[in-house]
Amino acid sequence: MSGIAFRELTPVSFLERAAAVFADRPAVVDGEHRWNYAQLWQRVQRLAGLLRARGVQPGDRVAVLAPNTHLLLEAHYGVPLAGAVLVALNTRLAPAEIGYILRHSGASLVLADAEYRGVLDEAMDEPLPVIDSSGYDDLVDSSEEHRVEVSDERSLLSINYTSGTTGRPKGVMYHHRGAYLQAMAMAFHAKLDTGSRYLWTLPMFHCNGWCFPWAVTAAGGVHHCLRGVDPAEIWRVIATEGITHFCGAPTVLTMLAEHPGAARLDRTLRVFSGGAPPWPALLARMGELGIDIQHLYGLTETFGPAAVCEPQPEWPGDLEQRAGLIARQGIANVIAEPVRVVDPATGEDVPADGRTPGEVLLRGNDVMLGYYRDEEATAAATLDGWFRTGDLGVCHPDGYMELRDRIKDVIISGGENITSIEVENALTAHPDVLEAAVVAAPHDKWGEVPIAYVTARESASLDEAELVAFVRNRIAHFKVPKRIVFGDLPKTSTGKLQKNVLRERARTVP
Amino acid sequence: MSGIAFRELTPVSFLERAAAVFADRPAVVDGEHRWNYAQLWQRVQRLAGLLRARGVQPGDRVAVLAPNTHLLLEAHYGVPLAGAVLVALNTRLAPAEIGYILRHSGASLVLADAEYRGVLDEAMDEPLPVIDSSGYDDLVDSSEEHRVEVSDERSLLSINYTSGTTGRPKGVMYHHRGAYLQAMAMAFHAKLDTGSRYLWTLPMFHCNGWCFPWAVTAAGGVHHCLRGVDPAEIWRVIATEGITHFCGAPTVLTMLAEHPGAARLDRTLRVFSGGAPPWPALLARMGELGIDIQHLYGLTETFGPAAVCEPQPEWPGDLEQRAGLIARQGIANVIAEPVRVVDPATGEDVPADGRTPGEVLLRGNDVMLGYYRDEEATAAATLDGWFRTGDLGVCHPDGYMELRDRIKDVIISGGENITSIEVENALTAHPDVLEAAVVAAPHDKWGEVPIAYVTARESASLDEAELVAFVRNRIAHFKVPKRIVFGDLPKTSTGKLQKNVLRERARTVP
């Protein structure tokens, strides 16, 4: 595809444009570093030159082990500019897991933050060339600019490994075209523009930061880097840097809402939240602070948010009524195909009645190419040309999809289906409950019964009997947890509840 | 291109999504008619069925002669759904011109507004099948739904004939991919969303309405149809229907600003303006009314706006300083390649000094496939893979492009270049001048001299001597018009000044 009318779609082009049209505008803030778009464009081309000088060939995989610093942001451009494939590693993985991904991806070089150098050295069976953040800026400064043009927009841009709550991590293959379109969708839905100051709370290693490394650049906004999710630091930066947008899981929002530094903003800060639905109390608290939450839904396999819970102007202002609408997973984003909810037995779409559950299927330009070197897993995730999410959802009469559960998290008790989410919602409705997770425990008579793991507020003096009584007033008795265990909940490195860990624990609950 | 990860880019998909996710939301308001997105989707599929029933085959050209009614809006979906190519005709053309386009495009059927039936009948040498608006709704209602899938996103979607100020109209070929991406760019830059109520002041036959027939639908906004540009009616609809956005040439904005019904809005109405730069007095007046103007630049060959004058947060609030920045043609839109300004002699980019003129070149996914059945004209418009706009511009140090003139409108007097726009700006700076156009007249001694055609405000008592004196204080003496002629200015059917007509007149000015 070439000539006057066609250019390959690649998210790298957003930076090329920004360098031309927003040359002097601020692009990156990372501690003491401040670069404009002309400088960022020069830096990433030099990074590409550095990679070439270190022997990276087009098609090679380049791994990055770093928190949300400019090194990782620049790798989102410099690696594809070298013609190579970006493998952004989760910094919270154990050395053995990192080692597995380095081997499986066949990475030929690693860019690493100095803080993670020890973990990396432990992870590598055989030493790979490493560019360490301690020397990175000097190396970039002294490198020649380099650039490999994208010759096929459907070619491999990055591989994002799933967090692997069960089994081995799988390598999700992203293509240039999908990242370009998904970035456009994010910029559109988030209403990003040159006045946007985006704070990097969401890890860039997580689905390439939902494509915001490219979306913020497309809009000519500012990337504010952040080494870690520290609520005090986040509140400080929001105040001093005029942050307008960030993304994060509800757990991050909870940390912010509960922090003593929380203070009402004199402007609206837009937050895209995903990973779990925001609950009414959180929405109310965030609203008080001047933070507007939009709920997104997607998977690593869909470049992050395939669906957005787009608010409609006619929705009620009253938060009680509104919260239930906002907490739904919503509708296909502007570049995605309409979400389907399908009865797995018949392959037919379920009625849009808000009650009949089915598996959520996704398709479109923001779906992965497949799993890297795993055709079997790719085939298993595909149904009639659609991607199987493994999520159980319903479709409401207004076309908005709402998740009921991960299919594997449904509890089957006495032949009745109990979705863990409905029991969790009943638990978190209690004002002293911060978080709750419900899983199945084996049971001789009923097959399975629900067991709850609950984190109470620090100040609360909540006990099991009181909470059971509270819940019995809200849901059918057979859905009430047979045991409630208080304490912290196990989470993956991306902040997702690890229900598999809880299921293991629930096997031994008396 | 098929499968789970790739879907052909076509703007028709925005309506399919809207029908799924915004089924009950209002889509179209046209007089008494109000349809939601589910209904609009059904209607356009039935229109496709109607076209098929009337013998339209995939690849056929279907012409439409209608003002901005639902018929023309629906044709933007129904014609491609039939696999056919949309040829939207300018309603202000003479029968002979319409006849030429019908023959040149080889249209096999015409959809026509009843008001234009007489013109159409006069235009056709040989009778073509016509579907008239008087029977259109009944025919659509009684047709079967039909749909031809887009098998190649680079295939022909529509042909838009240039207004042909000189020579025969040329048929600009639009592709599905370009219309999809341009619609996304417009939705992004205009910040359209489900709360948007878009008023159809810009003719849809003009570059397919700058792709807004698809952009508004992508965002789930409302299309408010409008048969003609009547300022009283526009002010009425703005007030009663809560219009949030419209597009139009400065001449339309002038009509609105000067109208007795003009009243300050209690909200911001966003206007995209193109065709000519907005001037300070107009920007000031619009600002007083609560109307925010963003200046766009493009050509029929670039799906409309290839460039946007994106405001930057640091620009001064003071209108005097701001107006000059806003009036520039700006930067590539988010999906376009950076605009180039090139010295035609060397083929090199001119320095970004705001002074050195060059030809404006454009490239990217929002550039036409070429001119229909005119390879010679296509080749002449192309330079090293770039589209030649024929516009003379400069590039400012901040990367923003500003037009100096159409290359053919430059006046060469005594060996010095005079751009008609700088003389026009000096004229319109006078408070009694509504509009001005400057062209070259042949001159024995100087080769060419500038002659001005000026429309004064109705209330003004301006004479030539006074205006010449005013202008002499503002520009070099050799640039001052040798004659100023008062009266209305000749315009094309899309509201562009017809300098070719004025040049003819100037030949005989004493």
Side-chain angles (χ1 to χ4, degrees), chain A residues 1-9 13-14 16-17 20-26 153-155 175 177-178 180-181 184-185 187-189 191-195 197 218-219 308 310-314 331-339 362-369 381-383 385-388 397-400, chain B residues 1-9 13-14 16-17 20-26 153-155 175 177-178 180-181 184-185 187-189 191-195 197 218-219 308 310-314 331-339 362-369 381-383 385-388 397-400:
Chain A
M1 204 186 290
S2 69
I4 189 169
F6 300 115
R7 308 299 297 167
E8 301 296 321
L9 299 179
S13 67
F14 292 128
E16 183 176 21
R17 170 180 173 271
V21 304
F22 302 128
D24 297 330
R25 291 200 62 75
E153 65 190 37
R154 291 175 275 176
S155 65
H175 42 102
R177 175 179 166 100
Y180 179 98
L181 293 168
M184 271 304 305
F188 167 73
H189 287 292
K191 292 185 157 60
L192 298 175
D193 62 22
T194 52
R197 297 181 163 270
V308 296
E310 178 129 337
Q312 297 198 5
E314 295 80 7
I331 57 175
N333 81 41
V334 67
I335 66 103
E337 289 208 39
V339 178
L362 301 172
R363 190 171 70 166
N365 288 297
D366 60 351
V367 172
M368 65 171 177
L369 291 167
T382 312
L383 181 70
W386 289 75
F387 170 65
R388 303 183 65 156
D398 64 355
Y400 280 53
Chain B
M1 206 185 289
S2 69
I4 188 170
F6 298 115
R7 308 298 296 167
E8 300 296 320
L9 299 179
S13 68
F14 292 129
E16 182 175 22
R17 170 180 173 272
V21 305
F22 302 127
D24 297 329
R25 291 201 63 74
E153 66 191 36
R154 290 175 275 176
S155 65
H175 43 101
R177 175 180 167 100
Y180 178 99
L181 292 168
M184 271 304 305
F188 167 73
H189 287 291
K191 293 187 159 58
L192 297 175
D193 61 22
T194 52
R197 296 179 164 272
V308 296
E310 178 128 336
Q312 297 199 6
E314 296 79 8
I331 57 176
N333 82 39
V334 67
I335 67 104
E337 289 207 38
V339 177
L362 301 172
R363 189 171 71 165
N365 288 297
D366 59 352
V367 172
M368 65 170 177
L369 291 167
T382 312
L383 181 70
W386 289 75
F387 170 66
R388 302 183 66 154
D398 65 354
Y400 280 52

Side-chain angles (χ1 to χ4, degrees), chain A residues 222-267:
Chain A
V222 189
H223 295 272
H224 287 266
C225 296
L226 192 73
R227 281 192 74 87
V229 175
D230 167 11
E233 173 66 4
I234 292 174
W235 278 115
R236 190 192 67 75
V237 175
I238 287 173
T240 59
E241 298 280 359
I243 299 303
T244 58
H245 294 76
F246 69 84
C247 297
T251 46
V252 172
L253 301 179
T254 303
M255 280 167 53
L256 286 177
E258 302 278 320
H259 191 265
R264 183 171 178 77
L265 299 167
D266 58 2
R267 62 185 191 280

Side-chain angles (χ1 to χ4, degrees), chain A residues 415-444:
Chain A
E416 298 279 351
N417 283 356
I418 305 172
T419 65
S420 59
I421 290 175
E422 64 180 316
V423 185
E424 289 158 8
N425 285 347
L427 290 160
T428 54
H430 193 287
D432 287 342
V433 171
L434 204 58
E435 284 185 300
V438 173
V439 296
H443 191 276
D444 287 343

Side-chain angles (χ1 to χ4, degrees), chain B residues 441-460:
Chain B
H443 191 274
D444 288 342
K445 180 171 177 193
W446 304 115
E448 292 179 345
V449 290
I451 303 291
Y453 293 85
V454 165
T455 311
R457 268 172 217 287
E458 281 183 35
S459 55

